[in-house]
Structure formats: C-alpha cells, structure tokens
Amino acid sequence: GAVVSQHPSRVICKSGTSVKIECRSLDFQATTMFWYRQFPKQSLMLMATSNEGSKATYEQGVEKDKFLINHASLTLSTLTVTSAHPEDSSFYICSAKLNSEAFFGQGTRLTVV
Amino acid sequence: AQSVTQLDSHVSVSEGTPVLLRCNYSSSYSPSLFWYVQHPNKGLQLLLKYTSAATLVKGINGFEAEFKKSETSFHLTKPSAHMSDAAEYFCVVSDGGLSSYKLIFGSGTRLLVRP
C-alpha cells in the first residue's frame, strides 16, 4: 500500500515555543491531507483538511492561528503548533487518501513542558 | 450527520478464542465503513472496508466484518485471537461516502488478549 511518513515521531518542547510536524506521501501525490489529534485513551478527532495550493479547512473549535497548516507541494503538508502550551500535548496524526483508502502517518507525540 | 458508536471500550479474550468488536453507525445514506487497528504509539492500519459491495467483508490478519443495514451495525470478528491482535480498534465511517475525504472515528475498543 501507499506510504505516509510523519516526522518527528516524538518531540518535547518548552512552553511558548513553536513545533513543526511534517507529513509526506512517499509514493503518491496527495492534493488533500488531513490532520488529526488524539488525546490519551481517546479517539482521533479531525483538526483540519490541508489542501495543496490553498488554505486549509479547519474543524469547528480548532484555532487556525494556533495550528498553522501549509501544503506547499503535492507530497508535503506541515502542521505548526505555535506558542505551544502543556494542554497542546497530544498525539498528532496525518493522513492522505489514495483511491478511496486513507493512509496514516506514524504519528507525532508532542509533549510541551 | 454521520456518527459511529463502539459499544465496548475494552474487550478481553483468551488466546485462541473468538473476537467480537461491536460497532453501530448512523447515516442518512449508504455509508462507507472501515475498521482500523492502532498499536501503541503507532499510526493506523486499515483492516477492512465496506463500500456497498458484498456485505461480508474479509480483511487482513483473519478479521472480517458484516454490514447489516437493518441493524445499522458493522461488527468486527475473528475466529481465533492471537497475542499480536492486542491493540486499539477503531470503527470509522466516511462522511459523504467514497467521494468524501472526512473520516469520523468511533471512540475505540481496546482488545486485550490473555495467554
């Protein structure tokens, strides 16, 4: 199947700093990618839909100025958590769809201290 | 609006016994339904999907699920559990059918397999 690579897998940052997470489709082009957030022992919640060459579409309740999404090419989307706070600590997962199947990255464990 | 309900947060079985993970969905039209598995601190892997073809869907690793429209259910089963099956399982519905990109996740079921 198709491969989606997410980097980094783990990151620890200080409160107030920004963190960038990359999501790459390795063997296919993805005009649309998706960013999810997963709290411990909870399900995945869609944060935003990343569209290549245009603005991302954010779900209700997600702050677009805090979670900056850039989809500059057909194989790369980035999520930047700006001015991170401990409550932003979570597991972030991206996905891209190919032929009606969604392929997920390995996820990024973000810890804000 | 689409929604998915996973009826059990935890299921515990002995190795070699059958597995049943329950899922009910709500949809205003013919849904696309999926089961994903997530191992600790890992991404998600597709087990199987229903896309309005055969109602009994066979997936990887011996899993299968049956789409029952009358019961609005899509339960996941496996005849014999293996230790490596221990993981979190998510039932997922696609918002808008195959043409849509939005996936709506159930709350998840953690499968524990006892030796």
Side-chain angles (χ1 to χ4, degrees):
Chain A
V3 177
V4 174
S5 177
Q6 193 173 336
H7 178 80
S9 58
R10 290 178 179 271
V11 58
I12 300 173
C13 71
K14 290 185 176 181
S15 188
T17 62
S18 296
V19 173
K20 181 185 284 188
I21 304 170
E22 292 187 347
C23 180
R24 294 181 184 273
S25 56
L26 294 187
D27 48 3
F28 67 102
Q29 293 181 334
T31 55
T32 305
M33 293 185 177
F34 307 87
W35 288 95
Y36 294 84
R37 183 174 181 175
Q38 185 180 30
F39 289 104
K41 301 186 188 302
Q42 294 189 29
S43 188
L44 280 75
M45 298 298 294
L46 179 65
M47 298 175 64
T49 302
S50 171
N51 304 298
E52 188 267 335
S54 64
K55 292 182 178 181
T57 304
Y58 290 81
E59 295 300 302
Q60 192 172 10
V62 178
E63 299 176 59
K64 61 181 180 180
D65 294 331
K66 180 163 190 63
F67 298 100
L68 298 179
I69 291 174
N70 184 277
H71 195 152
S73 77
L74 288 171
T75 59
L76 174 65
S77 175
T78 60
L79 169 68
T80 301
V81 183
T82 63
S83 186
H85 290 282
E87 56 266 30
D88 298 324
S89 299
S90 191
F91 194 57
Y92 294 86
I93 304 178
C94 70
S95 79
K97 203 157 183 177
L98 177 65
N99 299 330
S100 81
E101 181 174 341
F103 294 91
F104 289 83
Q106 306 94 315
T108 298
R109 171 77 56 195
L110 170 63
T111 304
V112 184
V113 298
Chain B
Q2 313 271 54
S3 67
V4 170
T5 302
Q6 290 183 246
L7 299 160
D8 306 295
S9 59
H10 292 81
V11 169
S12 181
V13 301
S14 297
E15 189 176 20
T17 64
V19 175
L20 169 64
L21 305 182
R22 297 182 294 168
C23 172
N24 287 93
Y25 69 91
S26 172
S27 174
S28 55
Y29 46 83
S30 295
S32 293
L33 292 159
F34 311 81
W35 275 99
Y36 283 88
V37 60
Q38 183 183 32
H39 288 92
N41 292 314
K42 296 289 178 66
L44 287 89
Q45 181 182 21
L46 179 67
L47 284 177
L48 49 81
K49 64 180 177 181
Y50 166 76
T51 55
S52 74
T55 55
L56 181 61
V57 182
K58 293 187 183 297
I60 62 172
N61 301 336
F63 285 95
E64 61 182 40
E66 186 172 6
F67 174 74
K68 292 187 176 180
K69 186 175 181 179
S70 61
E71 299 177 10
T72 61
S73 69
F74 190 57
H75 301 333
L76 182 70
T77 60
K78 182 173 181 177
S80 176
H82 191 273
M83 295 297 292
S84 61
D85 294 327
E88 188 86 18
Y89 291 80
F90 292 99
C91 183
V92 180
V93 63
S94 179
D95 182 8
L98 268 180
S99 61
S100 171
Y101 292 110
K102 279 192 180 182
L103 298 180
I104 299 169
F105 283 75
S107 53
T109 299
R110 181 166 297 277
L111 176 64
L112 306 171
V113 182
R114 303 185 301 272

